[in-house]
Amino acid sequence: MPDLAVLVAKPDAEASIESLRAEGVYDDDRRVRERDDDRVELPVLAAPAETDVLATVEQTDPDYRSRGLDDLLRERGWSEAERERAPSSWAVVGDVLLADFTDCPRPGEVADALLTLHREADTVLDRGPVSGEFRTPTVTVLAGSGDTETVHVEHGTKYALDLSRVMFSPGNQHERARMGDLAVEGERVLDMFAGIGYFALPMARAGADVTAVEKNPDAFRYLAENAQLNEVSDSMNLVLGDCRDVETTADRVVMGYYDALDPDADYLATALDALAPGGTLHAHATVHETDLPDAPRERVEAAARNADRAVESVAVRRVKSHAEGVWHVVADVRLA
């Protein structure tokens, strides 16, 4: 069926839209379009029987509106109170859509609506908490094929992963790209908590020689697969195990783990022992906003004193909000 529009004089546009809506033929999915200096095209679902128009025409290149989740749910009979409990944000990782449906009524209906909005996705997951030493995610399939394995591409880096087995934080996208931008051709990098290669892969693609350590077997399997997928296997030394057991020397050390600055875990001591003079450390942490920026700086400086190392500079950057009043931050530290 062709897309129809009616021609009306510009001064009559608002009144005509109101009349067409009352008649039940106005098409809210398309935009009003100017026909010439005197007339506009109003999109309709069918030729009107009651509204006075100049002509009914076919549109060969209709201008569709970009509809949101709220629009779709309203059209499907959801009340305002119900729509307020639907997810307000979500992320598409590869062809899998992730959202938090904790307080959402009829989550399956919302998941179907999200698939309508995001044609590139074929599975919708309810993202629950992560747990355990390996930070294993909890997910529930709500709609689509149910395939949780995918390949996600960011700034040219390919990440193969299974979202039911390993973590992926869409909010860290800028930080992953930044690590690739900071990496220098031929520099030695130690990624102490490599995961599937979040930071290691962009740095290896930039020409760094990366030692990537990961103790979660599921994540390590994807780390190895991703090294091949991105054609950087020759630039990466992959280690399955505890980073505190790895002895190496690096010009840059990445600690992409929230407890990296825990003074009782010895991670900082390992990082400082591996870092060459003049090297840079990137240590991640979650910190209450009232403790910023002092707490991360003080932890790093205390560890440096214990290692008899001199700190040249510390810059604390906010990556994203982690919880109410709590920030995911990274301390960029240069040591003498």
Side-chain angles (χ1 to χ4, degrees):
M1 180 177 177
D3 291 294
L4 301 179
V6 293
L7 300 181
V8 301
K10 285 184 177 180
D12 299 331
E14 289 190 16
S16 297
I17 290 173
E18 185 175 339
S19 176
L20 292 167
R21 278 206 173 104
E23 195 175 340
V25 296
Y26 188 73
D27 187 356
D28 281 298
D29 287 346
R30 286 179 285 149
R31 300 180 186 275
V32 174
R33 188 162 61 188
E34 185 179 80
R35 179 73 170 220
D36 50 39
D37 290 342
D38 301 316
R39 299 173 299 170
V40 292
E41 298 178 14
L42 305 183
V44 293
L45 300 170
E50 302 171 8
T51 304
D52 187 21
V53 301
L54 299 175
T56 301
V57 298
E58 291 186 12
Q59 288 187 330
T60 56
D61 54 345
D63 185 7
Y64 284 97
R65 296 178 184 273
S66 177
R67 293 193 297 170
L69 179 60
D70 191 74
D71 296 322
L72 284 181
L73 295 180
R74 183 175 62 250
E75 292 171 7
R76 296 179 184 188
W78 281 52
S79 68
E80 182 177 355
E82 289 175 322
R83 298 198 307 273
E84 288 178 352
R85 294 169 57 195
S88 59
S89 63
W90 50 87
V92 179
V93 178
D95 55 8
V96 179
L97 190 147
L98 292 169
D100 182 356
F101 291 81
T102 301
D103 191 42
C104 180
R106 306 195 299 282
E109 293 182 25
V110 177
D112 286 336
L114 287 170
L115 285 179
T116 300
L117 286 175
H118 294 276
R119 302 291 185 181
E120 73 275 27
D122 64 13
T123 295
V124 177
L125 299 180
D126 181 6
R127 179 171 51 192
V130 296
S131 61
E133 178 186 7
F134 294 153
R135 306 289 288 166
T136 304
T138 302
V139 298
T140 303
V141 176
L142 294 180
S145 69
D147 188 359
T148 58
E149 193 170 38
T150 189
V151 176
H152 180 66
V153 182
E154 282 183 3
H155 303 282
T157 301
K158 300 172 185 177
Y159 297 95
L161 72 160
D162 186 335
L163 288 158
S164 71
R165 292 180 173 273
V166 297
M167 279 187 59
F168 191 87
S169 178
N172 290 353
Q173 179 177 352
H174 177 74
E175 191 64 20
R176 288 189 285 271
R178 186 176 79 102
M179 288 295 99
D181 292 338
L182 289 175
V184 177
E185 179 85 25
E187 76 173 348
R188 300 163 298 176
V189 173
L190 170 62
D191 187 344
M192 296 174 61
F193 308 94
I196 65 169
Y198 312 109
F199 304 124
L201 292 170
M203 301 179 86
R205 291 185 65 238
D209 294 320
V210 182
T211 296
V213 188
E214 176 54 46
K215 67 190 300 186
N216 179 345
D218 286 325
F220 185 83
R221 177 169 67 87
Y222 284 106
L223 173 63
E225 180 179 337
N226 288 329
Q228 295 181 353
L229 188 63
N230 288 276
E231 300 180 347
V232 291
S233 295
D234 291 344
S235 301
M236 298 184 71
N237 174 30
L238 308 183
V239 180
L240 174 61
D242 192 313
C243 59
R244 290 168 290 193
D245 297 331
V246 175
E247 294 184 6
T248 188
T249 301
D251 305 302
R252 191 182 303 274
V253 175
V254 182
M255 306 174 72
Y257 178 51
Y258 285 157
D259 293 332
L261 298 182
D262 184 348
D264 297 326
D266 295 331
Y267 295 127
L268 262 177
T270 300
L272 295 175
D273 186 55
L275 193 62
T280 302
L281 168 68
H282 306 282
H284 291 243
T286 51
V287 184
H288 196 278
E289 59 187 3
T290 57
D291 295 326
L292 288 172
D294 295 334
R297 179 182 294 114
E298 290 170 355
R299 293 176 198 172
V300 169
E301 290 175 344
R305 285 193 299 270
N306 290 337
D308 198 24
R309 298 289 300 271
V311 175
E312 291 186 352
S313 65
V314 181
V316 178
R317 304 175 59 258
R318 301 189 188 206
V319 177
K320 66 179 187 298
S321 174
H322 177 70
E324 186 174 356
V326 178
W327 285 88
H328 170 190
V329 303
V330 57
D332 296 331
V333 186
R334 185 170 179 83
L335 285 98

